[in-house]
Structures are given as C-alpha cells and as structure tokens.
C-alpha cells in the first residue's frame, strides 16, 4: 500500500487489463463529484475486499438451473428477463434504488469521491450481473455516470 493515499488495492484477482481499468475508473470522477462503481461477483470466488456495500442476490431465481440459460450470462436479454421479471426482484431493485437515492447525496456532501456497490450471487455469471447492470441503468437516468465491472462473469 502506498502510504498517504488512503486506499489499499487488492490486485490478487485482477488481470493487468482489469487493474488498468480499475485505476482509470478510480482516478476519473463523474460530474456529480462521486465516482460510482457497480461490481458483480460470485460468492464461490470470494467477496471483493474494496467495496462499500455488498448486496446478496442468491435468493433470486437462478438461471443456472435452466438448460438454455446456463451457458449465458446476465448480459444476455433472456437471462436478464428471467432474473428481473419476478415480483421479488422488482421489489428488491426498487428498495436498493431507494437506499442509494437516500445515501448518495449524503456521501457526496461528506466529500466521498468513490463508492463501490458489489452485487453477489453464487457464481457471479447470472443474477449478480443482471442486477448490477439494472442498478447502473437506473443510476444513469439520475444523472450519474456509473461504471460496471463483472469480476467473475467468465469464470466457471
């Protein structure tokens, strides 16, 4: 850790390209003065260390158990629909949006410049990816420019 910077970057799970993108995202901030990152991950690969909020979405319908969806990811429309179209998913996403709507202005007022929201499911390929993308879309409509990374989307 570089002394005086106030941040510890765990690079053990990052490729060189992922680290480069992370540093670029960290240094750049959006117009609101708060850089936001949504990161999907799989619990079976470990919880990310450098996050501010962690949301567990393992309670949502799991596309892994549907043969035609298993090899796809939460970036595919049919997987996204499968995950997000349940009433439970809709309620969950709305509740998280409400929480972020409440907290983001407070974090900005406190001078926080970077906020990471992690969303996890079992493997990090389906549910967490779909929810992270959905939250990012919502926040984009609110004037922020969030970034999204999917740490485990290509792992098995």
């Amino acid at each position: 850790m570089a002394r005086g910077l106030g941040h510890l970057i765990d690079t053990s799970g990052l490729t060189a390209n992922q680290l480069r993108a992370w540093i670029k995202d960290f240094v750049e901030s959006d117009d609101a003065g708060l850089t936001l990152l949504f990161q999907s991950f799989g619990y079976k690969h470990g919880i990310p260390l450098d996050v501010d909020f962690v949301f567990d979405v393992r309670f949502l319908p799991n596309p892994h158990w549907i043969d035609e969806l298993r090899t796809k990811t939460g970036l595919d429309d049919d997987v996204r629909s499968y995950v997000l179209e349940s009433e439970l998913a809709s309620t969950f996403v709305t509740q998280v949006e409400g929480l972020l709507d409440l907290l983001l202005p407070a974090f900005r007022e406190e001078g926080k410049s970077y906020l990471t929201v992690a969303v996890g499911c079992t493997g990090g390929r389906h549910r967490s990816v779909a929810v992270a993308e959905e939250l990012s879309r919502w926040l984009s409509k609110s004037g922020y420019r969030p970034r999204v990374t999917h740490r485990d989307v290509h792992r098995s």
Side-chain angles (χ1 to χ4, degrees):
M1 178 169 131
R3 300 228 184 264
L5 293 178
H7 295 282
L8 175 67
I9 303 170
D10 177 12
T11 62
S12 60
L14 300 177
T15 66
N17 286 337
Q18 289 171 326
L19 177 60
R20 185 178 302 111
W22 189 95
I23 291 171
K24 181 178 181 265
D25 285 346
F26 185 82
V27 172
E28 294 177 354
S29 71
D30 65 19
D31 294 334
L34 182 63
T35 299
L36 298 161
L37 174 67
F38 289 96
Q39 180 180 43
S40 70
F41 72 95
Y43 277 94
K44 74 179 189 176
H45 305 294
I47 297 174
L49 299 178
D50 53 349
V51 299
D52 300 292
F53 293 100
V54 176
F55 293 103
D56 185 342
V57 295
R58 290 177 288 183
F59 62 90
L60 294 177
N62 191 349
H64 176 79
W65 304 114
I66 308 298
D67 288 339
E68 58 269 15
L69 300 180
R70 182 174 296 131
T71 59
K72 297 181 178 188
T73 73
L75 298 170
D76 293 300
D77 288 338
D78 47 353
V79 172
R80 179 187 176 282
S81 295
Y82 181 81
V83 170
L84 296 175
E85 288 182 355
S86 73
E87 185 176 330
L88 183 58
S90 178
T91 301
F92 174 76
V93 168
T94 299
Q95 293 289 327
V96 172
E97 290 169 353
L99 179 63
L100 293 175
D101 205 25
L102 173 70
L103 295 178
L104 291 180
F107 279 121
R108 194 171 48 243
E109 282 184 34
E110 284 297 315
K112 187 156 178 71
S113 60
Y114 197 83
L115 188 76
T116 302
V117 177
V119 182
C121 63
T122 304
R125 294 180 39 85
H126 299 111
R127 297 169 289 183
S128 61
V129 172
V131 171
E133 289 286 334
E134 185 68 15
L135 291 170
S136 176
R137 270 190 285 283
W138 166 78
L139 211 49
S140 294
K141 294 176 187 173
S142 299
Y144 289 92
R145 294 187 326 222
R147 292 160 179 85
V148 184
T149 63
H150 303 295
R151 187 189 76 180
D152 302 323
V153 72
H154 297 297
R155 293 172 94 168
S156 54

